[in-house]
Amino acid sequence: MADGGKYQTLPQSVLFCCDHNAVRSPMAEGIMKKLYGTECYIQSVGVKNDLEIDGFAIAVCAEIGVELSRHRSRSFDEMEEWGDDLSSFDLVLALSPASQRRALDLTQFYHIDVEYWPILDPTGLGDAREARLTAYREARDQIIKRLTDRFGPAKT
């Protein structure tokens, strides 16, 4: 729990970011939407947009009722081109060091909190399908723990 046993207030808007917007940040976006519903505007981006949503991320999120198959990866640059202004977010949660650096660069002139959450990058871990799924589940569960530790139990 944050701040002496109390949960932090849910911000009005949250942006998750990672390297490619294909695994960790879309998982975090989908999970947060499931846990907290429409109480908060939630999006995700990557430093780059060079990969599609990862099949293992889709599979492990489906296990908990989070739909990711329709997610389309996008970068910070594309986000702004499509009309989502970075300055409209209250909180940026960076899930990789590269995305933290990019978020800090882009928010240096705005009053936006940027936090780094070191979430496991499961890509390339494990040789067999079940071992890979285990790594993706670990990343998924780390995201759930970070969210519920910060904002409290699910609202939906």
Side-chain angles (χ1 to χ4, degrees):
M1 288 187 207
D3 296 337
K6 297 185 187 249
Y7 297 115
Q8 293 184 16
T9 304
L10 200 62
Q12 289 186 350
S13 56
V14 174
L15 179 67
F16 290 98
C17 56
C18 66
D19 296 343
H20 304 278
N21 194 223
V23 179
R24 291 171 286 180
S25 59
M27 286 172 63
E29 175 187 350
I31 291 166
M32 187 166 185
K33 285 178 178 176
K34 178 171 178 61
L35 293 176
Y36 305 107
T38 58
E39 292 188 32
C40 179
Y41 178 70
I42 306 157
Q43 290 295 313
S44 66
V45 296
V47 174
K48 299 181 263 184
N49 171 21
D50 56 352
L51 299 173
E52 292 301 318
I53 185 76
D54 185 286
F56 287 107
I58 292 170
V60 301
C61 282
E63 294 173 351
I64 61 167
V66 173
E67 168 61 43
L68 292 185
S69 65
R70 291 177 288 174
H71 177 81
R72 297 296 166 251
S73 299
R74 64 184 184 158
S75 66
F76 279 104
D77 295 335
E78 289 168 324
M79 177 190 79
E80 291 191 349
E81 288 170 17
W82 296 345
D84 262 341
D85 187 359
L86 190 59
S87 66
S88 66
F89 290 94
D90 299 314
L91 177 62
V92 177
L93 295 172
L95 309 179
S96 70
S99 67
Q100 179 192 27
R101 283 189 301 276
R102 181 78 168 128
L104 289 170
D105 286 345
L106 291 172
T107 61
Q108 63 183 325
F109 301 111
Y110 302 114
H111 181 68
I112 301 170
D113 292 327
V114 177
E115 292 180 18
Y116 174 54
W117 287 7
I119 302 297
L120 169 75
D121 180 1
T123 58
L125 298 179
D127 294 332
R129 177 177 172 76
E130 197 52 44
R132 295 194 71 182
L133 284 169
T134 298
Y136 278 74
R137 287 180 188 117
E138 185 176 338
R140 175 198 68 198
D141 295 346
Q142 285 179 355
I143 292 166
I144 293 168
K145 181 171 180 4
R146 290 300 299 249
L147 286 168
T148 56
D149 283 353
R150 169 106 189 238
F151 302 118
K155 306 283 189 220
T156 55

